[in-house]
Structures are given as C-alpha cells and as structure tokens.
Amino acid sequence: MRAPLRAWLASRALVIGAAIVFSVLLGIPARGVDPYVPDWLSLLGGWDTTWYLDVARHGYAHDMGQVGEVYTNLAFFPLMPGIMAAAAGIAVNPLVAAVVVANLAFLGALWAMWGLTRGREGGVAADHAVWTLALLPAALYCSLAYTEGLALAGAIGAALAAVRDRWALAGLLAAVAALSRPTGGIVVLLLVLLAVREPAPGRWRRIALAAAPSVLAVGAFLGWMAAARGSALLPFEAQRAWDRGQLGIGLVTDMPREVAAGWDLVRDGHFTAAWTATARDLAFLVLYAWLLVRLWRREGGLRSPWVAYSAAVLAIPLSSGTIQSFARLGLLAFPLVWPLADWVHERPGRPRAAVAAAVLLIVLLVAQLEIRSP
C-alpha cells in the first residue's frame, strides 16, 4: 500500500508547491478571492471556492428573480459548503479546512484505485494506475478547495466497495459524490450496472442499497430547496448562467454558439482567459475521447459497466452544449486511467517521458489559475 501514499505525496507536493509559489510571486489574481483565503493560498481558493464560502457564510441566495441569467450560489451542491461552515463553527479557517479535506479525499481516491485495480489486474498494474491518476494533470483540481477530491473519492470508493460485495457502504460513498456536485449522481449508474452484472438472487436488494442513499440525500436537498427557495430545480436552472444548456438539447442549441464565439476570439487575436480555458478543456476532451476508445477495446464495449459509466460521465456535460470545465468534470470517468496507464507502460522509456510531460503540464495548468478576467 506504499504506492498510493508515495504517489499522493509526490503529486500533491508538486501541485501545492507550484500553487504557493505562483500565489506569492504573482500576487492576488485580478478577479480577487474571498477574505477567508490567505494570500499565499490564493490559487487554491479562487473561482468556485468563492461561491462555496459564500454559501457557508450566508446560506443560499434568496433572490431568485434572475436565476440562470446572473451568477448565483444556488448552482452549487451543499457538501463542500457544509464542510466549510462546520470548520468556521469551530474557529478553523474554512478555506484551509476545505483544502485539507480535498487533499485527504484524493489520498482516499488513490487508495481505492489501488485496491480496485489490484483486484482486477494485480499489484504492478495497481501501482501503475495510482501513479497515472496522481500525475494526471487534471487531478490538480483535487488539491483546490473544490469538490473534485470528494467526488472522486466517493466514486472510486463506491466502486471498490461494490466489487467487494459491500453494497451498503458503496451506496453511502456514492452519496458523497452525489452531494458534492450535480454530476456526482452518475456514480449510482455505475453501481447499478455492477449490481445487475451479479447473479439474480439479491439483485434488487443490491440495487436498493446502492441507490437509496444518493436518492434520499439529493432528494432531501432538493426538497429543502423547494420548500425554502420555491423550486427544487433551482440548482440546475442556475447552471444556465455558466452557459450550460438543457441536458441532451444543449449540444444542438448551445454548442454551435460556443464554438463560434471561441473561433471569433482566435480570429481577432483575443487570447483571453476564456480562450485559454476553452483550449485546455478542448485538449482534455480529445484526450478523454481517445482513452474511452482504448477502454472500449480493452473491456469489450458497452457491455462493460466501466465503459458505459465512463461514456455517460463524458456525455452528460457535453450534452449541455459546453465544454467549460471539461478537464475536471472528466475526472469522474476514473476507469480511463487504466488504458492510459497501459499506454504509458507499453514501451521502455515512455514512463519517464510521460512523467516529465505531466510535471510540465501540471505547472502550466496551475499557472493558468492565475489568469483571471478583471
């Protein structure tokens, strides 16, 4: 079990170290950060973290008149804000607490990835998988005060519990992912697919244990939203302000507009923060698509729960008509780590080159967190 700890220590030292260095050298980003965020941690506490801290401090917004038209904290699920609020209640800086929790959760994700892969392919493959996941450039978001660490730990932990026939635990871990972010509920699909694959006796019991915690937890949150703010759909309607269209329809109604807007920026020479983020997410879209094809061939197509789940993880945000934040949203498709680890270790010398490329990309992506539009 040393591999997960070593991979975690090495990768997090790189990510957090780079974030601290850039925070000190470059100063507070133009867009600013919440007062709870120390200056030397500014790159770990921007963007969505500001909204989590707002919910933790003030609760969810009461003004619903422009939901979907202006940015509002109603778009964010309650687990990370709840952790922050709990930390503030015991006089602990909520940003520091969130960073610690996110990074420890990522350690849990690596441990679960090692156990899951070892059960399928043995210890050597498990070591390769955890190092690949730890050094995956998009995994840097698991060190921010974001939900990625929690959601990934919940997803991989739930899968590990399911394959070990511990369905109640799997359901509870899936609920962690579901309460972390709107797309986290997709983990239940993986558990259902794994449960259906098992022998018929007890199948419905396994499905119930796997799905009930997420359904109850998210249902309670949306029920509270309906009672306290007037509509259970507010968290999803609020996503429109971030240029996310209706699932399944946005791919047709919104994606052409986003592509055209990006092309206009490039044509006119405006390489803005929005453009660099779009270029990043487009690059990861290509990477994830390539890995999905390799996973498809490796596992035998959609008959495999791992392939079907990974395809769904990638399809859901795309169907909203945007690739915004696709690099980190695609992290939930953790089975894609297996074909990537295979590719890295196919030829002698490739692992060393892959590590060098990963380190460079991680540093560049951390630096990109400093690029904020005023």
Side-chain angles (χ1 to χ4, degrees):
M1 294 300 294
R2 289 191 294 261
L5 181 59
R6 288 175 175 174
W8 179 75
L9 288 171
S11 63
R12 295 315 95 185
L14 173 62
V15 172
I16 297 174
I20 292 174
V21 168
F22 284 124
S23 295
V24 172
L25 292 180
L26 302 178
I28 300 298
R31 205 171 187 176
V33 293
D34 189 276
Y36 270 123
V37 180
D39 291 355
W40 59 280
L41 287 177
S42 61
L43 290 194
L44 298 178
W47 298 94
D48 289 0
T49 302
T50 302
W51 293 107
Y52 301 141
L53 288 167
D54 185 54
V55 176
R57 184 186 293 113
H58 305 296
Y60 283 101
H62 288 268
D63 182 9
M64 277 74 73
Q66 292 181 295
V67 169
E69 299 176 16
V70 298
Y71 296 138
T72 171
N73 67 22
L74 292 165
F76 299 91
F77 269 34
L79 184 56
M80 182 58 82
I83 291 171
M84 290 176 164
I90 57 174
V92 174
N93 184 305
L95 181 278
V96 174
V99 169
V100 170
V101 168
N103 281 276
L104 289 178
F106 187 57
L107 175 59
L110 291 175
W111 175 83
M113 191 71 185
W114 190 89
L116 183 63
T117 307
R118 182 178 182 273
R120 286 168 48 89
E121 303 172 43
V124 173
D127 290 352
H128 292 168
V130 297
W131 277 102
T132 302
L133 177 57
L135 291 174
L136 187 68
L140 76 89
Y141 295 103
C142 294
S143 285
L144 277 63
Y146 268 32
T147 60
E148 271 58 43
L150 287 167
L152 192 60
I156 307 178
L160 176 61
V163 298
R164 292 183 175 179
D165 203 31
R166 302 178 66 183
W167 293 96
L169 177 59
L172 291 174
L173 291 171
V176 170
L179 282 177
S180 297
R181 54 180 310 108
T183 56
I186 192 64
V187 177
V188 173
L189 171 64
L190 174 59
L191 297 187
V192 170
L193 292 173
L194 291 172
V196 169
R197 189 177 61 173
E198 296 296 317
R203 181 176 294 168
W204 288 108
R205 174 182 173 275
R206 291 191 293 269
I207 292 175
L209 289 173
S214 294
V215 172
L216 292 174
V218 175
F221 170 61
L222 297 179
W224 175 88
M225 190 67 72
R229 298 295 184 268
S231 172
L233 298 179
L234 285 174
F236 308 103
E237 294 171 354
Q239 294 286 330
R240 293 198 307 269
W242 278 265
D243 297 324
R244 302 194 189 281
Q246 187 175 347
L247 292 181
I249 299 176
L251 188 64
V252 176
T253 60
D254 291 64
M255 183 66 79
R257 183 171 66 248
E258 178 169 314
V259 172
W263 170 249
D264 288 344
L265 289 173
V266 175
R267 182 193 60 197
D268 297 336
H270 299 311
F271 299 108
T272 63
W275 183 87
T276 59
T278 300
R280 173 202 65 207
D281 292 318
L282 182 60
F284 274 96
L285 170 59
V286 173
L287 172 64
Y288 292 147
W290 173 65
L291 291 176
L292 181 61
V293 171
R294 289 182 65 94
L295 183 69
W296 181 294
R297 293 173 178 171
R298 185 182 193 268
E299 300 289 327
L302 283 175
R303 294 174 299 174
S304 164
W306 311 107
V307 175
Y309 164 75
S310 299
V313 169
L314 301 182
I316 287 176
L318 277 179
S319 73
S320 70
T322 180
I323 60 170
Q324 189 179 67
S325 302
F326 198 80
R328 58 190 181 90
L329 293 178
L331 276 174
L332 268 185
F334 65 87
L336 298 181
V337 168
W338 293 325
L340 181 57
D342 289 346
W343 179 83
V344 168
H345 292 89
E346 276 178 357
R347 298 179 182 176
R350 187 177 283 176
R352 186 172 298 177
V355 169
V359 170
L360 176 61
L361 287 172
I362 288 171
V363 172
L364 290 174
L365 288 178
V366 171
Q368 189 187 47
L369 295 172
E370 180 70 26
I371 303 175
R372 316 277 178 94
S373 298

